[in-house]
């Protein structure tokens, strides 16, 4: 008789899994249990299959046993979870024993004359045991995940306590001692929150966490210089205002992190974003589709009200002083057209209520199509207005003329000049804030919308802080620390402008349907291949300090990939070998850029080095294609072309040597990372120059030879680029409560279906 797998108490099988680590840990167990359950459909098995099933049952039971042992140890160390964890471990162990018993060959019915035996006589028992096992293991993992949250809260509390001490210090010596402790605590907090951010499944929470962590990262350096300035000039009001603003911003960011990990909002507030136009249009079109399917019971007044809300938000564009006259007129015209289309839709809708109107359905369909088309045109016009404004603004402020003037006037102690440039910076801030607000309306996804809100808040806060820092310098023009403080705030402003340019590119990519093309280019080692070269190398991740140091060159790499994409899109023949190779190199470089941000599929330095090596190999392939192409050029053109291609091959050789160079130690590894990114950037710079040159020459020769027909040589056979289908494991270094349990489930051997 099989053991009963379930007692009177049962777990909620609908436990919400909020992190990827918990989800990934359950996958091997789910696969094994699925294998066992599937075998119940074929009750008679050969002895070989029976032995295989028994091995799976024993493997599951042993893995559960080891898993439970770790869970019980966690329960002992965390008394507040002991009761729940101990009960979950008990149920998991009991379910594992039941599965082992049900798959034990000794307990099966004896084989008949054909050598086959009957298994799973207690099918209901197997299903119950499987359910209980999954439920209890999930419960253990979710409880273990609470420990991670507990560690983040404890780390935040330490940071907050030290922050309060820093705010009250009155001497440099005391400040240096406490700030050293604060730095160590911030590094620990950055590691914990970074792992948590990567582990979150909810993209909105991930975006909010990224925004909060970005504030903390930038504010740490601001806090150092602002505090030192205030200590040096204790009677200066502008220095005190500057310092207070940094402390307040850090407290808000720390609080936001805790809200995300605990899912607690002050005063019971919900996590609700401001209404944006793209969300309103999406909802409006969904309602129209509901009318088409006969699923929507809204009245025509409700549709009218929904449209009016959308059009009310378009006033952010039409009322803006920065929206061009042409865009304003087109938006107003489309708004009027949208109202007219809805009136015609309502009329057609009323006609469908009359069963005698045979053509009403067709008129209704046409009205829905015209209304949707009008909303699409409105969305496109709003997108163009916001994107063009943002691009023009970023280009205009690229030289940072106002910031440079503020530094000069502050250093000279010229209060009159400072007042002039302060007004100019305030105007620039208002332009950027309003532009971010318009970008939010057309962002296209909630994570991008959150990033727009973060950018808006950052400009809103840093603008006045730059002004207070400049005022302090103007009052104390010989103060080195006041000058350093102003430099730090200006660098934060410039950094946010760079982030805004990336945000704009992502919004445009999403709108044009290009988003995600470069996120999954995988050229990582396949299991079993290249392992001889990789065994002795210990894969490591960059810490927060190293990521900060590498972030600037990573950003430059990202901008180059955007330039390369723009040039690739100009090719008439997108399947041309050279264009495709350029796009492939851009994809690889984008993966390397994501690594510098601690994101993407390249998790360790070894992943990066392998990607860089494959990037160099792709560069050599491009060089070969360019050489073949150059044979069709005239002497003068070939000379210029050859000079650039020789640069390419030299840089690829340099990158290849760098990636294959063995290193030991943390500093040497980081230098190799930096060198690999720098070399990749240099290669992309050459490719960005070569691609438009090739395109121009191809167009020129096609035009010259059009009377003779297009020569075949200009349209080479498409390159057969190898496709790597393997995916890198998604497990991250979360690892406090959950990681200690992961490997006990990950090593289960899969049983093939017989």
């Amino acid at each position: 008789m099989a053991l009963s797998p379930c007692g009177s108490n049962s777990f909620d099988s609908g436990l919400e899994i909020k992190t990827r680590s918990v989800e990934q840990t359950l996958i091997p167990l789910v696969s094994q249990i699925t294998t066992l359950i599937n075998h119940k459909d074929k009750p008679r098995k050969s002895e070989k299959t029976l032995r295989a099933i028994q091995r799976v049952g024993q493997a599951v039971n042993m893995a559960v046993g080891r898993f439970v042992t770790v869970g019980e140890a966690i329960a002992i160390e965390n008394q507040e979870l002991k009761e729940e964890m101990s009960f979950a471990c008990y149920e998991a162990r009991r379910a594992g024993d039941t599965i082992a018993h049900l798959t034990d060959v000794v307990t099966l019915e004896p084989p008949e004359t054909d050598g086959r035996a009957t298994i799973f006589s207690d099918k209901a028992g197997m299903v119950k045991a499987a359910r209980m096992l999954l439920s209890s293991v999930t419960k253990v993992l979710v409880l273990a995940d609470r420990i991670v949250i507990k560690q983040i809260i404890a780390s935040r509390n330490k940071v907050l306590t030290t922050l309060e001490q820093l705010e009250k210090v009155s001497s440099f010596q005391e400040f240096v001692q406490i700030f050293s402790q604060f730095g160590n605590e911030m590094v620990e907090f950055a590691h914990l929150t970074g792992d948590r951010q990567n582990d979150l499944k909810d993209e909105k929470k991930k975006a909010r966490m990224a925004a909060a962590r970005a504030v903390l990262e930038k504010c740490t350096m601001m806090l150092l210089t602002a505090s030192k300035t205030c200590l040096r000039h204790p009677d200066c009001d502008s220095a005190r205002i500057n310092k207070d603003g940094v402390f307040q911003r850090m407290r808000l960011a720390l609080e936001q992190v805790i809200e995300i990990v605990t899912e607690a909002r002050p005063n019971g507030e919900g996590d609700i974003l401001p209404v944006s136009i793209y969300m309103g249009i999406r909802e409006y079109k969904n309602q129209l589709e509901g009318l088409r399917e006969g699923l929507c019971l809204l009245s025509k007044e409700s549709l009218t009200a929904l449209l009016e809300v959308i059009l009310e938000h378009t006033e952010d564009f039409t009322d803006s002083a920065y929206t061009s006259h042409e865009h304003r007129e087109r938006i107003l015209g489309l708004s009027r057209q949208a109202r007219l289309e809805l009136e015609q839709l309502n009329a057609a809708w009323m006609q469908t209520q009359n069963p005698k109107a045979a053509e009403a359905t067709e008129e209704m369909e046409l009205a829905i199509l015209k209304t949707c088309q009008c909303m699409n045109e409105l969305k496109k016009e709003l997108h163009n207005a916001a994107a063009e404004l943002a691009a023009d603004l970023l280009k205009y402020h690229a030289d940072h003329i106002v910031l440079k003037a503020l530094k000069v006037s502050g250093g000279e102690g010229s209060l009159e000049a400072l007042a002039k440039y302060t007004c100019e910076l305030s105007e620039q801030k208002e332009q950027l804030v309003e532009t971010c607000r318009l970008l939010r309306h057309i962002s296209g996804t909630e994570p991008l919308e959150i990033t727009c809100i973060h950018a808006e808040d950052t400009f809103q806060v840093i603008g006045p802080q730059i002004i207070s820092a400049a005022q302090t310098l103007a009052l104390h023009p010989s103060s080195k620390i006041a000058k350093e403080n102003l430099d730090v705030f200006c660098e934060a402003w410039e950094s946010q402008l760079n982030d805004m340019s990336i945000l704009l590119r992502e919004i445009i990519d999403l709108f044009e349907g290009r988003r995600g093309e470069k996120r999954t280019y995988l050229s990582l080692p396949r299991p079993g291949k290249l392992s001889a070269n990789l065994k002795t190398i210990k894969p490591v991740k960059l810490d927060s300090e190293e990521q900060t140091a590498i972030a600037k060159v990573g950003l430059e790499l990202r901008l180059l990939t955007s330039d390369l994409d723009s040039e690739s899109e100009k090719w008439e023949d997108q399947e041309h070998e050279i264009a495709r190779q350029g796009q492939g190199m851009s994809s690889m470089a984008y993966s390397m850029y994501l690594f510098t941000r601690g994101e993407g599929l390249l998790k360790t330095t070894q992943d990066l080095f392998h990607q860089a090596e494959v990037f160099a190999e792709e560069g050599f392939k491009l060089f070969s294609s360019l050489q073949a192409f150059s044979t069709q050029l005239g002497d003068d053109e070939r000379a210029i072309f050859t000079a650039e291609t020789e640069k390419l091959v030299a840089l690829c050789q340099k990158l290849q040597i760098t990636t294959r160079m063995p290193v030991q130690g943390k500093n040497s590894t980081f230098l190799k990372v930096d060198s690999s990114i720098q070399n990749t950037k240099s290669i992309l710079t050459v490719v960005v120059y070569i691609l438009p040159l090739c395109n121009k020459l191809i167009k020129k020769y096609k035009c010259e030879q059009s009377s003779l027909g297009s020569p075949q040589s200009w349209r080479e056979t498409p390159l057969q680029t190898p496709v790597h289908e393997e995916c890198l494991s998604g497990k991250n270094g979360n690892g406090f409560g959950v990681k200690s349990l992961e490997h006990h489930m990950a090593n289960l051997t899969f049983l093939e279906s017989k």
Side-chain angles (χ1 to χ4, degrees):
M1 185 78 179
L3 297 172
S4 174
C6 300
S8 57
N9 295 320
S10 63
F11 289 107
D12 176 18
S13 58
L15 286 170
E16 185 182 358
I17 298 173
K18 298 172 184 176
T19 58
R20 298 185 190 279
S21 56
V22 172
E23 187 176 67
Q24 291 294 320
T25 304
L26 286 171
I27 288 175
L29 182 61
V30 171
S31 299
Q32 293 289 13
I33 290 176
T34 301
T35 298
L36 292 174
I37 296 298
N38 286 343
H39 277 279
K40 73 181 176 61
D41 296 330
K42 301 175 182 177
R44 300 184 64 74
K45 300 291 179 184
S46 66
E47 184 177 351
K48 181 180 178 182
T49 302
L50 290 175
R51 294 292 178 187
I53 293 172
Q54 183 181 34
R55 285 196 298 273
V56 173
Q58 290 173 344
V60 168
N61 191 34
M62 290 175 65
V64 169
R66 292 190 295 268
F67 176 90
V68 165
T69 300
V70 176
E72 289 169 341
I74 291 173
I76 293 172
E77 294 174 2
N78 297 270
Q79 290 297 313
E80 70 277 14
L81 300 177
K82 185 174 181 180
E83 184 176 350
E84 285 184 278
M85 181 71 86
S86 297
F87 183 68
C89 289
Y90 167 75
E91 292 292 340
R93 192 186 295 277
R94 194 149 65 102
D97 290 341
T98 302
I99 288 174
H101 178 79
L102 290 172
T103 56
D104 189 357
V105 174
V106 177
T107 65
L108 300 178
E109 296 180 10
E112 297 184 3
T113 54
D114 61 356
R116 293 177 176 269
T118 302
I119 64 170
F120 297 160
S121 56
D122 186 4
K123 295 176 185 177
M126 174 59 76
V127 173
K128 281 185 177 181
R131 286 177 177 168
M132 176 54 71
L133 182 58
L134 286 175
S135 179
S136 54
V137 167
T138 303
K139 182 72 172 180
V140 171
L141 290 169
V142 170
L143 289 171
D145 192 57
R146 286 191 203 168
I147 297 169
V148 181
I149 297 172
K150 176 184 170 185
Q151 287 180 324
I152 292 174
I153 293 172
S155 179
R156 188 284 305 257
N157 290 341
K158 286 197 296 184
V159 169
L160 204 54
T161 300
T162 311
L163 195 66
E164 291 174 355
Q165 293 174 0
L166 277 173
E167 197 170 15
K168 297 174 183 176
V169 296
S170 56
S171 69
F172 272 103
Q173 185 177 3
E174 185 183 7
F175 174 80
V176 169
Q177 291 175 346
I178 298 176
F179 189 83
S180 176
Q181 176 188 342
F182 176 76
N184 293 331
E185 291 170 353
M186 281 299 296
V187 168
E188 178 193 357
F189 188 70
H191 279 305
L192 290 171
T193 54
D195 288 339
R196 189 67 179 180
Q197 176 186 325
N198 291 331
D199 200 22
L200 288 169
K201 291 175 62 182
D202 189 303
E203 293 298 328
K204 287 192 295 181
K205 290 178 184 174
K206 189 176 285 191
R208 290 184 64 225
M209 180 74 87
R213 293 181 70 243
V215 169
L216 291 171
E217 180 184 336
K218 291 176 182 177
C219 279
T220 300
M221 181 54 71
M222 295 178 191
L223 184 144
L224 173 61
T225 56
S227 297
K228 287 166 65 178
T229 303
C230 209
L231 286 169
R232 180 62 56 87
H233 308 290
D235 298 327
C236 182
D237 289 339
S238 58
R240 179 183 51 76
I241 291 170
N242 183 259
K243 171 191 151 185
D244 290 347
V246 177
F247 276 87
Q248 176 65 12
R249 198 161 180 235
M250 289 198 78
R251 286 194 179 93
L252 291 173
L254 288 167
E255 189 60 34
Q256 182 174 333
V257 170
I258 299 306
E259 287 172 12
I260 295 164
V261 298
T262 61
E263 299 186 322
R265 301 288 289 172
N267 304 320
E269 297 174 8
D271 185 12
I272 301 173
L273 294 174
V275 177
S276 59
I277 293 175
Y278 88 88
M279 289 183 69
I281 291 178
R282 184 172 63 187
E283 176 62 22
Y284 185 63
K285 290 171 69 177
N286 286 340
Q287 297 291 357
L288 293 175
E289 290 296 327
L291 286 176
R292 172 184 285 152
E293 301 296 330
L295 303 174
C296 184
L297 300 177
L298 282 178
S299 64
K300 62 180 183 180
E301 290 78 12
S302 299
L303 271 178
T304 302
L306 188 53
L307 176 62
E308 289 304 320
V309 170
I310 295 169
L311 298 183
E312 182 181 344
H313 285 301
T314 63
E315 293 174 5
D316 288 348
F317 289 79
T318 55
D319 292 349
S320 172
Y322 310 114
T323 301
S324 69
H325 176 71
E326 293 78 9
H327 282 305
R328 183 179 293 108
E329 288 301 311
R330 284 197 288 268
I331 292 168
L332 290 171
L334 287 167
S335 298
R336 289 191 293 269
Q337 185 183 341
R339 288 190 177 98
L340 180 61
E341 297 293 355
L342 181 58
E343 288 177 9
Q344 294 176 351
L345 173 62
N346 285 332
W349 188 6
M350 294 302 294
Q351 289 181 13
T352 59
Q353 311 304 315
N354 183 0
K356 296 181 180 180
E359 298 180 357
T361 304
E362 292 183 8
E363 291 179 5
M364 180 72 174
E365 177 66 21
L366 180 61
I368 290 174
L369 288 174
K370 289 175 69 176
T371 306
C372 288
Q373 176 66 23
C374 180
M375 298 310 294
N376 288 338
E377 290 177 6
L378 177 60
K379 183 169 71 171
K380 183 177 181 180
E381 188 60 39
L382 294 170
H383 171 86
N384 291 340
E388 286 177 20
L389 172 62
D392 291 344
L393 198 58
L394 288 168
K395 185 177 180 181
Y396 182 74
H397 295 304
D399 295 333
H400 310 298
I401 294 172
V402 176
L403 295 182
K404 293 173 183 175
L406 275 172
K407 291 178 184 179
V408 171
S409 57
E412 293 175 348
S414 174
L415 295 176
E416 183 178 345
L418 183 67
K420 173 189 173 184
Y421 293 118
T422 292
C423 290
E424 290 187 16
L425 183 67
S426 296
E427 183 180 346
Q428 182 179 334
K429 181 205 74 174
E430 291 303 322
Q431 287 179 328
L432 290 165
V433 166
E434 189 159 334
T435 303
C436 290
R437 195 172 297 131
L438 298 183
L439 286 175
R440 177 177 65 79
H441 276 306
I442 55 100
S443 55
T445 68
E446 288 180 324
L448 285 178
E449 188 176 346
I450 289 167
T451 308
C452 290
I453 294 171
H454 166 66
E456 180 184 340
D457 292 343
T458 301
F459 286 124
Q460 194 76 266
V461 172
I462 294 183
Q465 288 182 315
I466 291 175
I467 292 170
S468 61
Q471 289 170 343
T472 303
L473 179 59
L475 293 171
H476 307 277
S478 61
S479 173
K480 291 182 179 179
I481 183 56
K483 181 180 182 301
E484 180 188 357
N485 187 46
L486 178 57
D487 287 341
V488 167
F489 281 94
C490 288
E491 285 171 7
W493 182 273
E494 293 170 12
S495 173
Q496 189 56 51
L497 284 173
N498 285 332
D499 289 347
M500 185 176 172
S501 69
I502 293 174
L503 172 62
L504 175 61
R505 182 74 252 174
E506 290 178 346
I507 290 172
I508 293 172
D509 285 349
L510 177 66
F511 184 80
E512 296 178 356
R514 294 198 304 269
R515 182 170 181 174
E517 288 180 0
K518 297 182 296 193
R519 296 193 174 189
T520 56
Y521 188 96
L522 289 181
S523 53
L524 301 175
R526 300 185 182 190
K529 294 190 177 183
L530 302 176
S531 56
N533 297 327
L534 301 179
K535 279 181 182 176
T536 57
I537 301 174
K538 182 182 179 182
V540 295
K541 294 184 178 181
L542 298 183
D543 60 30
S544 59
E545 222 176 324
E546 292 169 334
Q547 276 190 337
T548 301
I550 206 74
K552 183 180 179 183
V553 68
L555 176 63
E556 293 168 349
L557 189 64
R558 169 67 179 97
L559 296 174
L560 278 170
T561 63
S562 294
D563 293 340
L564 186 52
D565 289 341
S566 298
E567 293 300 336
S568 298
E569 289 164 11
K570 295 175 184 177
W571 283 59
E572 294 176 359
D573 181 9
Q574 289 289 309
E575 293 303 312
H576 193 287
E577 184 177 15
I578 292 173
R580 283 172 20 102
Q581 287 172 325
Q583 290 167 354
M585 293 180 75
S586 176
S587 296
M588 295 184 218
Y590 188 83
S591 296
M592 296 167 75
Y593 153 73
L594 289 178
F595 174 87
T596 66
R597 291 173 61 96
E599 301 170 3
L601 295 165
L602 306 179
K603 300 297 183 185
T604 67
T605 53
Q606 189 55 39
D607 296 340
L608 175 75
F609 298 149
H610 180 76
Q611 179 73 92
E613 187 173 2
V614 176
F615 179 84
E617 291 170 1
E618 196 67 15
F620 287 128
K621 291 179 185 177
L622 177 60
F623 171 73
S624 299
S625 300
L626 293 171
Q627 273 192 317
F629 173 80
S630 66
T631 60
Q632 305 169 46
L633 304 177
D635 292 339
D636 293 339
E637 292 166 336
R638 188 184 301 120
I640 298 172
F641 200 80
T642 302
E644 292 301 322
T645 56
E646 285 176 354
K647 288 182 189 176
L648 175 64
V649 75
L651 289 168
C652 289
Q653 287 171 345
K654 184 178 178 182
L655 177 59
Q656 195 174 60
I657 291 169
T658 300
T659 58
R660 293 177 178 177
M661 180 176 59
V663 291
Q664 288 185 344
K666 184 177 180 182
N667 290 336
S668 298
T669 301
F670 176 73
L671 289 174
K672 183 175 176 180
V673 168
D674 183 59
S675 181
S676 298
I677 300 290
Q678 292 281 7
N679 289 336
T680 301
K681 190 183 78 169
S682 300
I683 291 170
L684 274 191
T685 303
V686 174
V687 176
V688 168
Y689 175 83
I690 288 176
L691 240 64
L693 181 60
C694 288
N695 194 23
K696 180 181 176 182
L697 291 170
I698 288 175
K699 288 180 179 178
K700 175 185 173 183
Y701 275 77
K702 278 187 175 181
C703 183
E704 290 175 354
Q705 300 183 19
S706 59
S707 59
L708 303 175
S710 299
Q712 183 66 27
S713 57
W714 290 109
R715 193 175 181 86
E716 288 87 7
T717 305
L719 177 67
Q720 300 300 316
T721 306
V723 179
H724 300 271
E725 297 179 351
E726 294 78 1
C727 290
L728 184 65
S729 169
K731 291 182 183 176
N732 60 66
N734 178 324
F736 303 99
V738 177
K739 189 176 180 181
S740 58
L741 298 164
E742 280 181 357
H743 68 280
H744 295 302
M745 289 298 168
N747 295 326
L748 288 174
T749 305
F750 288 87
L751 173 67
E752 296 180 0
S753 299
K754 298 292 180 180

